[in-house]
Amino acid sequence: RSALGGGWGPLIGDEGSGYWLGREALRAVARAADGCGPETALTGEVLGALGVSEARALIPGLYQGQRASSDQIARLAPLVLEAASAEDPVARGLVETAADELARLVAAVSARLDVEDAPVALAGGLLAQENPLSRALRGRLGPTVIAAPMHPPVLGAVILAREALKP
C-alpha cells in the first residue's frame, strides 16, 4: 500500500521544502523592511546572497528580466537554517512552522494507511542532514519512528523503476 502527502509544488504547497523556506525568508525580509514584521538576521544574509544592498532592490531581481528561479530561491534555505542555529527568532519560527507542516503530512499519510509509529525516513537536501529543521521534525515525530534511508536517492529511484517494470 502507498499514500502520498504534499508534493503539490511551490505554487500551492511544498511546505518545509528548500523553496518554501527560501520564499518565507524573502517574505520575512519584506515584512521587516515594511515595518510589519520583526527585524531579522535574514535580511543581511538574503540581501547579500542575492547581491542587493536593500530590500526594495529584490523586486527587479525577483520579478523582472531574468526572474529568480525556484533553485535560486531554494538556495536561500541554508541561510534560514544557519540563522535558526544562531537563534534568530524569525528564522527559528520559519523552521518550527516547516517542521509542523511536515509532521502534519506524516500524520495524514499514516492515517490514510491506518498505521501507527511507522518508520519515517528523512531524505532530501534539508532533512537528510543534521540541522535545526531535521531536529525539529524528529522532535515532533519521536526518535523511535525515524529510520535512516536504506539507500541513496538515486538507488531508490532505480529500485522503484525496476519494481514498476515487473509484470
Side-chain angles (χ1 to χ4, degrees), residues 161-167:
R162 187 173 152 210
E163 291 296 318
L165 291 174
K166 284 184 179 177

Side-chain angles (χ1 to χ4, degrees), residues 3-126:
L4 293 175
W8 294 99
L11 293 180
I12 58 174
D14 273 359
E15 293 85 349
S17 71
Y19 177 87
W20 185 89
L21 278 174
R23 186 193 67 215
E24 292 302 306
L26 289 165
R27 293 180 70 211
V29 168
R31 284 191 300 272
D34 284 342
C36 298
E39 293 296 319
T40 172
L42 290 171
T43 298
E45 296 297 323
V46 166
L47 297 181
L50 296 175
V52 297
S53 59
E54 60 151 8
R56 287 275 169 196
L58 291 169
I59 295 169
L62 294 173
Y63 295 111
Q64 298 168 357
Q66 295 285 66
R67 297 181 91 173
S69 70
S70 295
D71 287 346
Q72 288 171 307
I73 293 172
R75 282 195 289 268
L76 299 174
L79 301 177
V80 176
L81 299 177
E82 289 169 18
S85 290
E87 299 300 324
D88 178 73
V90 172
R92 192 82 213 139
L94 296 179
V95 166
E96 294 297 324
T97 300
D100 288 342
E101 292 295 330
L102 291 168
R104 251 190 287 281
L105 288 171
V106 169
V109 167
S110 294
R112 281 201 310 269
L113 293 173
D114 194 27
V115 297
E116 289 183 33
D117 297 329
V120 175
L122 299 185
L126 296 180

